[in-house]
Amino acid sequence: MWEREVAATSAQSARAVRRPCPEHGPGPVRGLRGLGRRVAEGVVGGAVLVVGPLAVLVAVVPGTFAGGGARRWFGGRGEGQRAQAQAAKDEAAAAFYELDTAQRDLRISIETITAVDDSPAAQRAKADFEAFGERIDQVSRDYITAVDAHDLDRDDLDASAASRARADLVRAKDELRRTKADLDRFAQGLGPLLEQAETQLARLAPAVERARQALRAASDALDAVRGAGLRADDLAARLAALGPELTKLNEGAGRHGVQETIRRADDVLRGAEAVRGEAERLPERAAEIDRRLVSLRTRAQAITTRTEGVVPVLSELRRRYSAACWQDLQAVPDQAAGDVARAEAKLKEAQEARDEQRWADATALLATVRALLNTTDEAVSAAGDRLRRLDEVSYDRNKEVERTRFAIRDAQRLAMAGRDTPDPRHAGPLDGAVERLDRAIAGLEGRHPDWWHFLSETEAVRQAAARVVQEIREERGGAH
């Protein structure tokens, strides 16, 4: 009978006996990646030891009949404490894994921010994350120490040891979860910085691609212009100057930084689009320069013809009016001839620049020609206008006088609108205008009146009245 009991007991003992786990000291923590292996080594049991019946009998019989030290097979308080400790160990391992995952994810976010943003806020975020890393290393070491300190698979684990193991593991789990909660709050605070960094990164590839496309389009436009017989050397030089920038773009943001790469891409885009636009407009620009050359030559010839008519006009002015009416026009014929000659010389230079396809030089020279011809045209026209106006006022001065008086009265009515007395700032200039007009009329007495002085004075009086009107309107407009 006792042989069957011994055989049964021996079979149970053979299944229960395990190879002891290797001893592990706590050691330094080398990041969270190596921790999983340490934890795995701590919880994996050994292989079942297979022994013969005699050895089992020798090993088991003394304990069986002595009645002491053997582990109970059917539960008890010790087994309940062991189960609670094991559950605490599993929860701590899960908390450790969650913290490790959160740290890895946040490291990617920090690297994204610092790759794009070098602001003080980004630098503070990086420093705070590094400080969190030190805290995570500490709670991880505490967790590993708690795991290594308690072998929950020991057969002789009593209730008090299991209770201590559970307390240590719960404490490690709580600290891991508390650290993760703080890390999550820190990650939420990085939202604006991360969003801005991701926006910059999202701009990077499209910006570089747009720059490359713009360079290709500019190159194609230049080829088309050259095919039409236009050299466009200056545009080609500007496009070639963008080559080093393209090289830096191809080297990537890893070498030059995200923000610098985006800025360079934008600069290349603007430069290439400018070259392309000018290249596409170049045929039209050449045609416009050709039209202006023809137009300005025609105008120069017309002014030359009109200049010949100034001499008879001056002769008529000298015959009919006092010297004060025409002395300032004496030099008009010579000045006009000289200006036209200079304009024609500049036209030749502009033609040469156009033939050599120096478009900027041709445009500048044509602007000079136009300014010379405008000045000459005004001087030539001044002689004829002078004679016409003098003829009109000498025939009927009243028309000029009434025109001037009307301007003064209009200003006076506006100055008195809504007032019993005029503002001295307005009354003074208007009274002076009346007196000046009276003096101009009185100056016409005599055998040879200075009609040009009279016209100049009436023009000045009208301008004085107009200034008063403008001041009143500005003051009243500002008051509203």
Side-chain angles (χ1 to χ4, degrees):
M1 192 71 170
W2 65 268
E3 291 88 352
R4 287 196 298 271
E5 292 178 358
V6 169
T9 304
S10 300
Q12 292 177 357
S13 299
R15 287 193 300 270
V17 174
R18 301 172 182 265
R19 185 166 52 203
C21 295
E23 293 296 329
H24 295 286
V29 180
R30 301 184 181 274
L32 298 181
R33 293 184 177 180
L35 185 57
R37 180 179 59 81
R38 296 284 309 280
V39 174
E41 291 175 354
V43 299
V44 175
V48 175
L49 178 62
V50 179
V51 296
L54 182 60
V56 171
L57 179 62
V58 173
V60 173
V61 167
T64 301
F65 293 100
R71 175 177 170 182
R72 297 176 62 186
W73 311 118
F74 302 105
R77 183 171 178 274
E79 289 302 314
Q81 293 291 340
R82 184 196 300 269
Q84 293 178 6
Q86 185 62 50
K89 182 177 181 181
D90 294 341
E91 292 177 357
F96 171 80
Y97 176 77
E98 292 173 359
L99 178 60
D100 180 38
T101 302
Q103 185 187 26
R104 291 173 187 271
D105 293 343
L106 188 55
R107 178 178 289 109
I108 295 174
S109 299
I110 291 294
E111 290 174 352
T112 300
I113 292 172
T114 54
V116 175
D117 191 354
D118 57 355
S119 66
Q123 296 303 316
R124 284 195 302 271
K126 180 181 179 181
D128 292 344
F129 177 73
E130 292 174 352
F132 261 110
E134 296 176 359
R135 178 179 171 185
I136 292 171
D137 287 344
Q138 181 59 49
V139 298
S140 299
R141 284 192 293 269
D142 295 343
Y143 164 70
I144 293 172
T145 300
V147 171
D148 289 346
H150 305 285
D151 183 6
L152 301 182
D153 293 329
R154 283 183 13 235
D155 292 335
D156 60 348
L157 183 70
D158 57 21
S160 61
S163 179
R164 288 193 302 273
R166 176 180 177 276
D168 291 345
L169 291 168
V170 168
R171 187 163 45 252
K173 174 204 68 176
D174 292 342
E175 189 60 29
L176 287 168
R177 289 183 175 175
R178 189 178 302 111
T179 302
K180 181 181 181 299
D182 293 342
L183 191 66
D184 290 342
R185 284 191 291 271
F186 173 67
Q188 291 176 357
L190 296 178
L193 285 175
L194 182 59
E195 182 178 359
Q196 181 179 359
E198 290 175 343
T199 300
Q200 292 289 324
L201 287 174
R203 288 182 52 202
L204 178 61
V208 172
E209 182 59 26
R210 285 194 300 269
R212 290 171 178 162
Q213 292 178 359
L215 285 171
R216 286 194 293 269
S219 179
D220 293 342
L222 274 179
D223 291 341
V225 166
R226 289 166 175 163
L230 301 174
R231 292 196 302 271
D233 294 338
D234 56 337
L235 296 179
R238 287 165 54 185
L239 185 61
L242 296 175
E245 298 299 302
L246 177 61
T247 300
K248 293 179 180 179
L249 285 180
N250 292 334
E251 289 172 350
R255 180 170 181 178
H256 300 287
V258 175
Q259 289 184 334
E260 178 64 17
T261 301
I262 292 176
R263 183 200 63 76
R264 179 173 288 111
D266 291 341
D267 290 344
V268 170
L269 175 66
R270 285 191 295 270
E273 286 183 341
V275 170
R276 179 189 58 80
E278 292 184 32
E280 291 176 347
R281 291 191 298 270
L282 193 54
E284 180 181 351
R285 185 180 184 185
E288 176 63 21
I289 289 176
D290 292 338
R291 287 193 295 270
R292 291 180 63 187
L293 282 167
V294 174
S295 175
L296 289 175
R297 285 196 192 98
T298 302
R299 188 179 178 192
Q301 294 171 358
I303 292 176
T304 299
T305 302
R306 290 178 56 211
T307 302
E308 297 173 355
V310 174
V311 175
V313 170
L314 289 175
S315 178
E316 187 70 14
L317 286 170
R318 285 193 292 266
R319 186 179 66 83
R320 297 171 53 190
Y321 297 101
S322 63
C325 295
W326 49 262
Q327 279 182 337
D328 59 320
L329 300 176
Q330 280 291 92
V332 167
D334 293 338
Q335 289 178 352
D339 288 343
V340 169
R342 285 194 295 274
E344 290 176 343
K346 294 294 182 183
L347 278 172
K348 291 181 180 178
E349 294 179 16
Q351 183 64 61
E352 292 175 357
R354 191 265 174 259
D355 293 340
E356 296 173 1
Q357 299 188 20
R358 291 184 287 111
W359 309 112
D361 293 342
T363 301
L365 287 167
L366 289 175
T368 302
V369 171
R370 182 178 180 182
L372 284 171
L373 294 181
N374 285 343
T375 302
T376 306
D377 196 5
E378 291 174 1
V380 170
S381 299
D385 292 342
R386 178 81 57 89
L387 179 59
R388 178 184 55 77
R389 294 183 63 190
L390 290 173
D391 286 345
E392 289 177 353
V393 73
S394 63
Y395 178 76
D396 182 9
R397 73 181 72 176
N398 292 330
K399 184 177 180 180
E400 183 71 12
V401 171
E402 288 303 318
R403 178 187 175 195
T404 306
R405 289 193 188 283
F406 176 82
I408 296 174
R409 286 194 298 270
D410 186 61
Q412 290 172 339
R413 282 193 297 270
L414 183 61
M416 291 298 296
R419 304 177 62 95
D420 294 330
T421 58
D423 190 322
R425 294 175 301 167
H426 307 146
L430 292 178
D431 290 344
V434 172
E435 295 173 0
R436 189 172 182 180
L437 177 60
D438 292 340
R439 288 194 300 270
I441 295 173
L444 295 177
E445 301 298 332
R447 185 173 180 180
H448 297 289
D450 188 350
W451 294 105
W452 183 242
H453 176 73
F454 173 74
L455 289 173
S456 300
E457 285 294 287
T458 54
E459 178 65 25
V461 168
R462 289 193 294 272
Q463 291 178 357
R467 284 193 296 270
V468 172
V469 170
Q470 181 66 23
E471 291 174 2
I472 294 174
R473 289 175 176 171
E474 289 178 353
E475 291 173 2
R476 294 180 180 177
H480 293 290

